[in-house]
Amino acid sequence: MEDAEMSRGEVNLSFPPYEAVFGSEILVSRNAERTLSDYDWCEEFFELEEAGVEPLTLDDITFNNSYELQEDLSDEEFNFDPTKSLKIYSMARAESSKRKKKTSKLISPAKCEWRKALNLIKDRRDPWGNFHLDQIKSEKGRRHRYNPLTQTWVVDECILKMDKEPFAEGAMRECFRMKKLSNFSMNNDWSRDSNNFVAKSYMDEATPRETYFEDVKMQMDSKVWAEDYNRHNPPKKVDMFMMGVMELVDQPGAPLYHIEHYIEGAYVKYNSNFGFVEDTGKCRQTPQALSHFTFERSGHELVVVDIQGVGDLYTDPQIHTASGLEYGDGNLGIQGMALFFQSHHCNKICHSLGLTPFDLSPNEVKQLEYTIQRFNITSE
């Protein structure tokens, strides 16, 4: 009755010791001061305890028989003990390693592209297979290559086979089919370990030997300018053929040849030593913008012209210099520069690269506009 007559406000009560079970720990509280709300909670707890309701322990957890019959469980998973230290961590690591093994089998997109390229190379037929160059007697050669950055020459020995008859000729040189055996070939398999080259020789036998080396130096210097052009992110990248000099040491007089890798495709001449080429019928912007770029980038000291080749892989360029020195007889100096700009009209690529239009006379402007009307220069 005293408890019933107590006010509903907060009062200090003293209780006998009680136990609260939480997991494996026993918490004991003696003579704690509590509010009336705490007393209500304790009363409910004692009522549950008198009714036989007790907290669950680990001993109350049992496994169903159907769990034992699962065949896809490993021994480690079946004997899982949640109370064992670091067990969950070790299982997580095991599962993570399984996932890594599965993902390691996946092939990246870049690797797929490389595999496609390798398969194309393996399945690619030899464009010169019908000419039976493998039946020609092999001979030794000495290859000279120029490094434009260090301005030094590198020489190595090689084995080659070259056709005796030219398959094409230009105004000054004739071209021969040639196969060069890879320096890394172990079994001299010409069908697998050789590459196709084009060997070019001046038809004038009085041509000085130094001319061959000057031509290589000019083309490799032009290659450096092409790489500089690419660094300015034009719509289409360009490049120059790697070119060298092959000296046939087994033949009398050790004749010299220019050598380049053979590339299949239509060979097009876009401009010449003295300006725009009108008879190609294909007026692209990239070759003309490249020539204009070399003039601006060199501080008006030179211009690379005579752009020709397969697509945007060019060969046999000519360099005009302000001094008129170096780069052979094709170097027309300031006159050659003026002839190029007399027929050059700045296109979209020139504007995107920030190139300055060349000053022309009114008559030259009229002639240039007439050329533009004849040839719709829209292709890059």
Side-chain angles (χ1 to χ4, degrees):
M1 293 298 294
E2 292 180 357
D3 293 341
E5 294 177 355
M6 286 182 180
S7 63
R8 303 302 296 178
E10 293 184 356
V11 296
N12 292 330
L13 298 177
S14 179
F15 296 95
Y18 70 94
E19 294 180 353
V21 180
F22 182 78
S24 60
E25 297 180 359
I26 301 178
L27 304 177
V28 180
S29 177
R30 300 175 184 270
N31 299 326
E33 293 184 353
R34 301 181 178 277
T35 63
L36 187 60
S37 59
D38 293 332
Y39 172 77
D40 294 339
W41 179 86
C42 293
E43 186 177 13
E44 293 178 1
F45 178 82
F46 290 135
E47 290 178 357
L48 292 174
E49 190 176 24
E50 291 177 359
V53 179
E54 298 179 355
L56 290 176
T57 65
L58 293 176
D59 297 333
D60 298 314
I61 301 175
T62 59
F63 293 101
N64 194 311
N65 292 335
S66 61
Y67 184 82
E68 301 176 359
L69 299 178
Q70 294 186 22
E71 298 179 355
D72 57 342
L73 292 176
S74 63
D75 294 338
E76 186 179 15
E77 293 171 326
F78 177 77
N79 297 321
F80 171 68
D81 183 3
T83 62
K84 189 175 180 180
S85 61
L86 300 180
K87 186 66 178 179
I88 296 178
Y89 174 73
S90 61
M91 291 192 66
R93 288 195 61 182
E95 184 65 22
S96 176
S97 62
K98 291 179 182 179
R99 293 179 181 178
K100 287 183 179 179
K101 291 180 181 179
K102 292 180 180 179
T103 55
S104 62
K105 297 180 181 179
L106 298 177
I107 302 175
S108 64
K111 193 171 183 179
C112 289
E113 294 299 326
W114 275 109
R115 285 190 175 183
K116 289 180 182 178
L118 290 174
N119 290 332
L120 288 175
I121 293 174
K122 291 179 181 179
D123 299 337
R124 180 175 176 269
R125 64 175 182 83
D126 184 0
W128 288 354
N130 296 331
F131 300 102
H132 307 292
L133 296 181
D134 55 333
Q135 299 178 6
I136 299 176
K137 182 181 178 180
S138 61
E139 55 183 314
K140 294 181 180 179
R142 185 178 294 119
R143 181 173 57 174
H144 304 260
R145 290 175 291 176
Y146 180 72
N147 186 331
L149 301 180
T150 61
Q151 299 183 358
T152 56
W153 290 88
V154 179
V155 182
D156 62 343
E157 306 292 331
C158 55
I159 306 297
L160 58 94
K161 294 184 177 186
M162 191 171 70
D163 203 351
K164 302 301 180 182
E165 299 296 329
F167 70 92
E169 65 180 35
M172 302 176 65
R173 294 180 299 180
E174 53 187 0
C175 304
F176 299 84
R177 296 183 180 92
M178 188 188 81
K179 280 184 174 292
K180 188 188 80 68
L181 189 66
S182 173
N183 293 342
F184 301 99
S185 177
M186 303 298 295
N187 52 9
N188 295 339
D189 187 353
W190 286 87
S191 62
R192 188 184 65 179
D193 300 336
S194 63
N195 296 312
N196 294 333
F197 283 80
V198 176
K200 302 178 182 180
S201 174
Y202 280 101
M203 291 183 287
D204 184 1
E205 297 180 356
T207 302
R209 294 175 71 88
E210 292 78 10
T211 302
Y212 285 89
F213 295 91
E214 291 175 359
D215 291 344
V216 171
K217 181 179 182 298
M218 178 168 56
Q219 181 149 329
M220 299 312 295
D221 286 345
S222 300
K223 184 177 178 67
V224 173
W225 288 110
E227 293 173 353
D228 191 14
Y229 172 82
N230 292 337
R231 282 193 286 270
H232 287 72
N233 297 320
K236 290 187 177 180
K237 303 297 177 65
V238 301
D239 198 3
M240 296 283 177
F241 275 95
M242 290 291 295
M243 186 180 182
V245 175
M246 183 65 73
E247 182 181 5
L248 303 185
V249 295
D250 288 343
Q251 296 187 14
L256 301 178
Y257 292 84
H258 289 139
I259 59 169
E260 297 173 340
H261 280 278
Y262 173 72
I263 302 295
E264 289 185 279
Y267 191 92
V268 180
K269 191 178 182 72
Y270 299 106
N271 62 38
S272 68
N273 292 14
F274 47 84
F276 179 67
V277 178
E278 296 187 1
D279 56 357
T280 61
K282 190 173 184 180
C283 307
R284 296 185 56 227
Q285 300 181 44
T286 295
Q288 317 306 327
L290 172 63
S291 296
H292 191 175
F293 172 85
T294 59
F295 178 75
E296 291 275 338
R297 188 66 172 170
S298 66
H300 304 173
E301 291 295 323
L302 61 82
V303 61
V304 178
V305 294
D306 204 7
I307 306 298
Q308 54 195 307
V310 178
D312 287 311
L313 184 58
Y314 306 139
T315 185
D316 296 336
Q318 177 62 54
I319 298 179
H320 298 316
T321 61
S323 63
L325 303 177
E326 292 187 286
Y327 304 123
D329 296 335
N331 182 0
L332 303 181
I334 295 177
Q335 182 183 3
M337 295 180 178
L339 289 173
F340 168 74
F341 283 103
Q342 185 179 5
S343 59
H344 173 68
H345 174 72
C346 285
N347 52 51
K348 293 180 180 179
I349 302 178
C350 296
H351 296 316
S352 67
L353 296 175
L355 304 180
T356 305
F358 198 75
D359 292 333
L360 301 175
S361 66
N363 291 335
E364 291 173 334
V365 172
K366 289 182 180 179
Q367 180 63 33
L368 189 57
E369 290 176 350
Y370 172 72
T371 303
I372 296 171
Q373 291 176 359
R374 288 184 56 194
F375 299 94
N376 185 17
I377 307 179
T378 56
S379 174
E380 293 178 353

